[in-house]
PDB file of all heavy atoms in Angstrom:
ATOM      1  N   SER A   1       6.447  -1.038  -0.967  1.00 97.00           N
ATOM      2  CA  SER A   1       7.565  -0.109  -1.084  1.00 97.00           C
ATOM      3  C   SER A   1       8.861  -0.898  -1.196  1.00 97.00           C
ATOM      4  O   SER A   1       9.106  -1.819  -0.409  1.00 97.00           O
ATOM      5  CB  SER A   1       7.617   0.808   0.147  1.00 97.00           C
ATOM      6  OG  SER A   1       8.803   1.573   0.157  1.00 97.00           O
ATOM      7  N   VAL A   2       9.708  -0.543  -2.174  1.00 96.00           N
ATOM      8  CA  VAL A   2      10.964  -1.271  -2.342  1.00 96.00           C
ATOM      9  C   VAL A   2      12.015  -0.820  -1.325  1.00 96.00           C
ATOM     10  O   VAL A   2      13.026  -1.501  -1.150  1.00 96.00           O
ATOM     11  CB  VAL A   2      11.513  -1.105  -3.777  1.00 96.00           C
ATOM     12  CG1 VAL A   2      10.492  -1.594  -4.792  1.00 96.00           C
ATOM     13  CG2 VAL A   2      11.899   0.342  -4.069  1.00 96.00           C
ATOM     14  N   ASP A   3      11.789   0.311  -0.661  1.00 97.00           N
ATOM     15  CA  ASP A   3      12.714   0.808   0.358  1.00 97.00           C
ATOM     16  C   ASP A   3      12.035   0.724   1.717  1.00 97.00           C
ATOM     17  O   ASP A   3      10.873   0.307   1.832  1.00 97.00           O
ATOM     18  CB  ASP A   3      13.111   2.255   0.053  1.00 97.00           C
ATOM     19  CG  ASP A   3      11.902   3.180   0.116  1.00 97.00           C
ATOM     20  OD1 ASP A   3      10.971   3.018  -0.702  1.00 97.00           O
ATOM     21  OD2 ASP A   3      11.862   4.036   1.006  1.00 97.00           O
ATOM     22  N   ASP A   4      12.759   1.104   2.758  1.00 97.00           N
ATOM     23  CA  ASP A   4      12.195   0.991   4.108  1.00 97.00           C
ATOM     24  C   ASP A   4      11.486   2.261   4.557  1.00 97.00           C
ATOM     25  O   ASP A   4      10.993   2.337   5.681  1.00 97.00           O
ATOM     26  CB  ASP A   4      13.288   0.616   5.116  1.00 97.00           C
ATOM     27  CG  ASP A   4      14.371   1.676   5.253  1.00 97.00           C
ATOM     28  OD1 ASP A   4      14.368   2.650   4.469  1.00 97.00           O
ATOM     29  OD2 ASP A   4      15.238   1.520   6.127  1.00 97.00           O
ATOM     30  N   ARG A   5      11.392   3.278   3.681  1.00 97.00           N
ATOM     31  CA  ARG A   5      10.783   4.569   4.050  1.00 97.00           C
ATOM     32  C   ARG A   5       9.410   4.760   3.443  1.00 97.00           C
ATOM     33  O   ARG A   5       8.847   5.851   3.529  1.00 97.00           O
ATOM     34  CB  ARG A   5      11.711   5.717   3.609  1.00 97.00           C
ATOM     35  CG  ARG A   5      13.061   5.736   4.296  1.00 97.00           C
ATOM     36  CD  ARG A   5      13.867   6.969   3.925  1.00 97.00           C
ATOM     37  NE  ARG A   5      14.235   6.988   2.507  1.00 97.00           N
ATOM     38  CZ  ARG A   5      14.010   8.005   1.683  1.00 97.00           C
ATOM     39  NH1 ARG A   5      13.389   9.099   2.127  1.00 97.00           N
ATOM     40  NH2 ARG A   5      14.389   7.947   0.431  1.00 97.00           N
ATOM     41  N   TRP A   6       8.865   3.725   2.807  1.00 98.00           N
ATOM     42  CA  TRP A   6       7.577   3.813   2.118  1.00 98.00           C
ATOM     43  C   TRP A   6       7.632   4.829   0.980  1.00 98.00           C
ATOM     44  O   TRP A   6       6.614   5.414   0.613  1.00 98.00           O
ATOM     45  CB  TRP A   6       6.444   4.199   3.085  1.00 98.00           C
ATOM     46  CG  TRP A   6       6.283   3.326   4.278  1.00 98.00           C
ATOM     47  CD1 TRP A   6       6.673   3.605   5.555  1.00 98.00           C
ATOM     48  CD2 TRP A   6       5.664   2.030   4.315  1.00 98.00           C
ATOM     49  NE1 TRP A   6       6.346   2.561   6.391  1.00 98.00           N
ATOM     50  CE2 TRP A   6       5.723   1.573   5.657  1.00 98.00           C
ATOM     51  CE3 TRP A   6       5.069   1.203   3.365  1.00 98.00           C
ATOM     52  CZ2 TRP A   6       5.211   0.350   6.064  1.00 98.00           C
ATOM     53  CZ3 TRP A   6       4.555  -0.022   3.767  1.00 98.00           C
ATOM     54  CH2 TRP A   6       4.635  -0.435   5.104  1.00 98.00           C
ATOM     55  N   PHE A   7       8.826   5.043   0.397  1.00 98.00           N
ATOM     56  CA  PHE A   7       8.981   6.116  -0.579  1.00 98.00           C
ATOM     57  C   PHE A   7       8.828   5.630  -2.027  1.00 98.00           C
ATOM     58  O   PHE A   7       8.006   6.141  -2.781  1.00 98.00           O
ATOM     59  CB  PHE A   7      10.342   6.801  -0.391  1.00 98.00           C
ATOM     60  CG  PHE A   7      10.640   7.861  -1.413  1.00 98.00           C
ATOM     61  CD1 PHE A   7       9.684   8.794  -1.774  1.00 98.00           C
ATOM     62  CD2 PHE A   7      11.886   7.928  -2.030  1.00 98.00           C
ATOM     63  CE1 PHE A   7       9.947   9.777  -2.730  1.00 98.00           C
ATOM     64  CE2 PHE A   7      12.165   8.902  -2.981  1.00 98.00           C
ATOM     65  CZ  PHE A   7      11.194   9.823  -3.334  1.00 98.00           C
ATOM     66  N   VAL A   8       9.643   4.661  -2.438  1.00 98.00           N
ATOM     67  CA  VAL A   8       9.626   4.198  -3.835  1.00 98.00           C
ATOM     68  C   VAL A   8       8.739   2.957  -3.923  1.00 98.00           C
ATOM     69  O   VAL A   8       9.098   1.896  -3.430  1.00 98.00           O
ATOM     70  CB  VAL A   8      11.038   3.872  -4.336  1.00 98.00           C
ATOM     71  CG1 VAL A   8      10.982   3.430  -5.813  1.00 98.00           C
ATOM     72  CG2 VAL A   8      11.956   5.086  -4.180  1.00 98.00           C
ATOM     73  N   PRO A   9       7.581   3.084  -4.544  1.00 97.00           N
ATOM     74  CA  PRO A   9       6.666   1.943  -4.560  1.00 97.00           C
ATOM     75  C   PRO A   9       6.891   1.037  -5.767  1.00 97.00           C
ATOM     76  O   PRO A   9       7.512   1.427  -6.762  1.00 97.00           O
ATOM     77  CB  PRO A   9       5.294   2.608  -4.665  1.00 97.00           C
ATOM     78  CG  PRO A   9       5.554   3.828  -5.494  1.00 97.00           C
ATOM     79  CD  PRO A   9       6.952   4.286  -5.114  1.00 97.00           C
ATOM     80  N   HIS A  10       6.386  -0.184  -5.655  1.00 95.00           N
ATOM     81  CA  HIS A  10       6.068  -0.971  -6.838  1.00 95.00           C
ATOM     82  C   HIS A  10       4.656  -0.531  -7.191  1.00 95.00           C
ATOM     83  O   HIS A  10       3.742  -0.684  -6.395  1.00 95.00           O
ATOM     84  CB  HIS A  10       6.143  -2.459  -6.522  1.00 95.00           C
ATOM     85  CG  HIS A  10       5.745  -3.331  -7.677  1.00 95.00           C
ATOM     86  ND1 HIS A  10       6.213  -3.120  -8.946  1.00 95.00           N
ATOM     87  CD2 HIS A  10       4.918  -4.387  -7.751  1.00 95.00           C
ATOM     88  CE1 HIS A  10       5.695  -4.018  -9.749  1.00 95.00           C
ATOM     89  NE2 HIS A  10       4.901  -4.794  -9.061  1.00 95.00           N
ATOM     90  N   PHE A  11       4.462   0.025  -8.374  1.00 97.00           N
ATOM     91  CA  PHE A  11       3.357   0.939  -8.626  1.00 97.00           C
ATOM     92  C   PHE A  11       1.997   0.282  -8.884  1.00 97.00           C
ATOM     93  O   PHE A  11       1.013   0.994  -9.036  1.00 97.00           O
ATOM     94  CB  PHE A  11       3.698   1.844  -9.805  1.00 97.00           C
ATOM     95  CG  PHE A  11       4.710   2.914  -9.482  1.00 97.00           C
ATOM     96  CD1 PHE A  11       6.060   2.688  -9.664  1.00 97.00           C
ATOM     97  CD2 PHE A  11       4.307   4.136  -8.992  1.00 97.00           C
ATOM     98  CE1 PHE A  11       6.998   3.660  -9.373  1.00 97.00           C
ATOM     99  CE2 PHE A  11       5.233   5.128  -8.693  1.00 97.00           C
ATOM    100  CZ  PHE A  11       6.585   4.890  -8.879  1.00 97.00           C
ATOM    101  N   GLU A  12       1.911  -1.033  -8.982  1.00 96.00           N
ATOM    102  CA  GLU A  12       0.591  -1.609  -9.266  1.00 96.00           C
ATOM    103  C   GLU A  12      -0.353  -1.358  -8.087  1.00 96.00           C
ATOM    104  O   GLU A  12       0.073  -1.198  -6.942  1.00 96.00           O
ATOM    105  CB  GLU A  12       0.692  -3.100  -9.564  1.00 96.00           C
ATOM    106  CG  GLU A  12       1.139  -3.966  -8.398  1.00 96.00           C
ATOM    107  CD  GLU A  12       1.266  -5.420  -8.796  1.00 96.00           C
ATOM    108  OE1 GLU A  12       0.405  -5.918  -9.526  1.00 96.00           O
ATOM    109  OE2 GLU A  12       2.248  -6.052  -8.354  1.00 96.00           O
ATOM    110  N   LYS A  13      -1.636  -1.328  -8.383  1.00 98.00           N
ATOM    111  CA  LYS A  13      -2.667  -1.100  -7.368  1.00 98.00           C
ATOM    112  C   LYS A  13      -3.633  -2.277  -7.398  1.00 98.00           C
ATOM    113  O   LYS A  13      -4.181  -2.598  -8.464  1.00 98.00           O
ATOM    114  CB  LYS A  13      -3.429   0.192  -7.650  1.00 98.00           C
ATOM    115  CG  LYS A  13      -2.667   1.476  -7.369  1.00 98.00           C
ATOM    116  CD  LYS A  13      -3.563   2.667  -7.741  1.00 98.00           C
ATOM    117  CE  LYS A  13      -3.059   3.971  -7.188  1.00 98.00           C
ATOM    118  NZ  LYS A  13      -3.981   5.087  -7.523  1.00 98.00           N
ATOM    119  N   MET A  14      -3.844  -2.890  -6.239  1.00 98.00           N
ATOM    120  CA  MET A  14      -4.685  -4.077  -6.145  1.00 98.00           C
ATOM    121  C   MET A  14      -5.959  -3.742  -5.355  1.00 98.00           C
ATOM    122  O   MET A  14      -5.906  -3.080  -4.310  1.00 98.00           O
ATOM    123  CB  MET A  14      -3.933  -5.208  -5.435  1.00 98.00           C
ATOM    124  CG  MET A  14      -2.517  -5.452  -5.935  1.00 98.00           C
ATOM    125  SD  MET A  14      -2.414  -5.854  -7.696  1.00 98.00           S
ATOM    126  CE  MET A  14      -3.166  -7.482  -7.705  1.00 98.00           C
ATOM    127  N   LEU A  15      -7.081  -4.255  -5.822  1.00 98.00           N
ATOM    128  CA  LEU A  15      -8.341  -4.014  -5.118  1.00 98.00           C
ATOM    129  C   LEU A  15      -8.298  -4.568  -3.711  1.00 98.00           C
ATOM    130  O   LEU A  15      -8.783  -3.925  -2.771  1.00 98.00           O
ATOM    131  CB  LEU A  15      -9.504  -4.646  -5.901  1.00 98.00           C
ATOM    132  CG  LEU A  15     -10.887  -4.508  -5.248  1.00 98.00           C
ATOM    133  CD1 LEU A  15     -11.304  -3.045  -5.152  1.00 98.00           C
ATOM    134  CD2 LEU A  15     -11.933  -5.295  -6.036  1.00 98.00           C
ATOM    135  N   TYR A  16      -7.721  -5.762  -3.534  1.00 98.00           N
ATOM    136  CA  TYR A  16      -7.738  -6.344  -2.186  1.00 98.00           C
ATOM    137  C   TYR A  16      -6.946  -5.511  -1.194  1.00 98.00           C
ATOM    138  O   TYR A  16      -7.287  -5.458  -0.012  1.00 98.00           O
ATOM    139  CB  TYR A  16      -7.270  -7.803  -2.197  1.00 98.00           C
ATOM    140  CG  TYR A  16      -5.888  -8.082  -2.743  1.00 98.00           C
ATOM    141  CD1 TYR A  16      -4.737  -7.710  -2.070  1.00 98.00           C
ATOM    142  CD2 TYR A  16      -5.734  -8.778  -3.936  1.00 98.00           C
ATOM    143  CE1 TYR A  16      -3.469  -7.996  -2.568  1.00 98.00           C
ATOM    144  CE2 TYR A  16      -4.483  -9.077  -4.444  1.00 98.00           C
ATOM    145  CZ  TYR A  16      -3.351  -8.686  -3.758  1.00 98.00           C
ATOM    146  OH  TYR A  16      -2.094  -8.971  -4.254  1.00 98.00           O
ATOM    147  N   ASP A  17      -5.887  -4.826  -1.658  1.00 98.00           N
ATOM    148  CA  ASP A  17      -5.160  -3.917  -0.767  1.00 98.00           C
ATOM    149  C   ASP A  17      -6.025  -2.725  -0.384  1.00 98.00           C
ATOM    150  O   ASP A  17      -6.077  -2.332   0.789  1.00 98.00           O
ATOM    151  CB  ASP A  17      -3.882  -3.407  -1.446  1.00 98.00           C
ATOM    152  CG  ASP A  17      -2.747  -4.404  -1.420  1.00 98.00           C
ATOM    153  OD1 ASP A  17      -2.655  -5.180  -0.465  1.00 98.00           O
ATOM    154  OD2 ASP A  17      -1.944  -4.400  -2.366  1.00 98.00           O
ATOM    155  N   GLN A  18      -6.682  -2.122  -1.358  1.00 98.00           N
ATOM    156  CA  GLN A  18      -7.489  -0.930  -1.075  1.00 98.00           C
ATOM    157  C   GLN A  18      -8.563  -1.252  -0.045  1.00 98.00           C
ATOM    158  O   GLN A  18      -8.789  -0.491   0.910  1.00 98.00           O
ATOM    159  CB  GLN A  18      -8.129  -0.390  -2.360  1.00 98.00           C
ATOM    160  CG  GLN A  18      -7.223  -0.287  -3.570  1.00 98.00           C
ATOM    161  CD  GLN A  18      -5.923   0.476  -3.333  1.00 98.00           C
ATOM    162  OE1 GLN A  18      -5.894   1.481  -2.623  1.00 98.00           O
ATOM    163  NE2 GLN A  18      -4.847  -0.008  -3.930  1.00 98.00           N
ATOM    164  N   ALA A  19      -9.252  -2.379  -0.239  1.00 98.00           N
ATOM    165  CA  ALA A  19     -10.347  -2.733   0.665  1.00 98.00           C
ATOM    166  C   ALA A  19      -9.860  -2.918   2.087  1.00 98.00           C
ATOM    167  O   ALA A  19     -10.458  -2.397   3.047  1.00 98.00           O
ATOM    168  CB  ALA A  19     -11.033  -3.999   0.159  1.00 98.00           C
ATOM    169  N   GLN A  20      -8.768  -3.638   2.254  1.00 98.00           N
ATOM    170  CA  GLN A  20      -8.288  -3.936   3.611  1.00 98.00           C
ATOM    171  C   GLN A  20      -7.654  -2.725   4.272  1.00 98.00           C
ATOM    172  O   GLN A  20      -7.819  -2.509   5.480  1.00 98.00           O
ATOM    173  CB  GLN A  20      -7.300  -5.100   3.555  1.00 98.00           C
ATOM    174  CG  GLN A  20      -7.940  -6.407   3.117  1.00 98.00           C
ATOM    175  CD  GLN A  20      -6.916  -7.517   3.016  1.00 98.00           C
ATOM    176  OE1 GLN A  20      -6.705  -8.289   3.955  1.00 98.00           O
ATOM    177  NE2 GLN A  20      -6.258  -7.605   1.883  1.00 98.00           N
ATOM    178  N   ILE A  21      -6.925  -1.914   3.509  1.00 98.00           N
ATOM    179  CA  ILE A  21      -6.325  -0.701   4.084  1.00 98.00           C
ATOM    180  C   ILE A  21      -7.418   0.265   4.517  1.00 98.00           C
ATOM    181  O   ILE A  21      -7.312   0.922   5.560  1.00 98.00           O
ATOM    182  CB  ILE A  21      -5.364  -0.047   3.084  1.00 98.00           C
ATOM    183  CG1 ILE A  21      -4.128  -0.929   2.873  1.00 98.00           C
ATOM    184  CG2 ILE A  21      -4.945   1.336   3.565  1.00 98.00           C
ATOM    185  CD1 ILE A  21      -3.220  -0.460   1.745  1.00 98.00           C
ATOM    186  N   ALA A  22      -8.491   0.359   3.738  1.00 98.00           N
ATOM    187  CA  ALA A  22      -9.597   1.248   4.124  1.00 98.00           C
ATOM    188  C   ALA A  22     -10.170   0.837   5.473  1.00 98.00           C
ATOM    189  O   ALA A  22     -10.451   1.683   6.334  1.00 98.00           O
ATOM    190  CB  ALA A  22     -10.687   1.232   3.051  1.00 98.00           C
ATOM    191  N   VAL A  23     -10.335  -0.465   5.693  1.00 98.00           N
ATOM    192  CA  VAL A  23     -10.853  -0.938   6.982  1.00 98.00           C
ATOM    193  C   VAL A  23      -9.858  -0.641   8.096  1.00 98.00           C
ATOM    194  O   VAL A  23     -10.240  -0.219   9.199  1.00 98.00           O
ATOM    195  CB  VAL A  23     -11.184  -2.438   6.907  1.00 98.00           C
ATOM    196  CG1 VAL A  23     -11.554  -2.973   8.288  1.00 98.00           C
ATOM    197  CG2 VAL A  23     -12.338  -2.681   5.927  1.00 98.00           C
ATOM    198  N   ASN A  24      -8.559  -0.847   7.836  1.00 98.00           N
ATOM    199  CA  ASN A  24      -7.547  -0.473   8.831  1.00 98.00           C
ATOM    200  C   ASN A  24      -7.680   0.992   9.221  1.00 98.00           C
ATOM    201  O   ASN A  24      -7.601   1.353  10.408  1.00 98.00           O
ATOM    202  CB  ASN A  24      -6.141  -0.702   8.274  1.00 98.00           C
ATOM    203  CG  ASN A  24      -5.686  -2.136   8.236  1.00 98.00           C
ATOM    204  OD1 ASN A  24      -4.785  -2.497   7.476  1.00 98.00           O
ATOM    205  ND2 ASN A  24      -6.285  -2.983   9.052  1.00 98.00           N
ATOM    206  N   CYS A  25      -7.878   1.862   8.237  1.00 98.00           N
ATOM    207  CA  CYS A  25      -7.984   3.297   8.511  1.00 98.00           C
ATOM    208  C   CYS A  25      -9.224   3.603   9.343  1.00 98.00           C
ATOM    209  O   CYS A  25      -9.177   4.407  10.288  1.00 98.00           O
ATOM    210  CB  CYS A  25      -8.013   4.085   7.213  1.00 98.00           C
ATOM    211  SG  CYS A  25      -6.476   4.019   6.263  1.00 98.00           S
ATOM    212  N   LEU A  26     -10.344   2.975   9.001  1.00 98.00           N
ATOM    213  CA  LEU A  26     -11.577   3.203   9.750  1.00 98.00           C
ATOM    214  C   LEU A  26     -11.414   2.778  11.208  1.00 98.00           C
ATOM    215  O   LEU A  26     -11.832   3.489  12.128  1.00 98.00           O
ATOM    216  CB  LEU A  26     -12.723   2.434   9.098  1.00 98.00           C
ATOM    217  CG  LEU A  26     -13.151   2.929   7.709  1.00 98.00           C
ATOM    218  CD1 LEU A  26     -14.042   1.896   7.034  1.00 98.00           C
ATOM    219  CD2 LEU A  26     -13.875   4.268   7.812  1.00 98.00           C
ATOM    220  N   GLU A  27     -10.790   1.637  11.422  1.00 98.00           N
ATOM    221  CA  GLU A  27     -10.608   1.148  12.801  1.00 98.00           C
ATOM    222  C   GLU A  27      -9.570   1.981  13.543  1.00 98.00           C
ATOM    223  O   GLU A  27      -9.698   2.196  14.759  1.00 98.00           O
ATOM    224  CB  GLU A  27     -10.230  -0.324  12.782  1.00 98.00           C
ATOM    225  CG  GLU A  27     -11.373  -1.219  12.279  1.00 98.00           C
ATOM    226  CD  GLU A  27     -11.065  -2.694  12.422  1.00 98.00           C
ATOM    227  OE1 GLU A  27      -9.884  -3.062  12.584  1.00 98.00           O
ATOM    228  OE2 GLU A  27     -12.021  -3.491  12.349  1.00 98.00           O
TER     229      GLU A  27
END
């Protein structure tokens, strides 16, 4: 996010982010 509110993203999507965030959510 380019701002501090998680509002305006840099829009690319990375596989390594998805995998690790999913584990964070599960835990």
Side-chain angles (χ1 to χ4, degrees):
S1 171
V2 302
D3 63 296
D4 64 353
R5 297 186 294 128
W6 305 103
F7 176 45
V8 181
H10 177 46
F11 286 91
E12 66 182 319
K13 287 178 165 182
M14 313 301 291
L15 178 64
Y16 58 71
D17 281 328
Q18 314 308 322
Q20 295 178 94
I21 292 171
V23 173
N24 284 158
C25 293
L26 292 166
E27 293 187 342

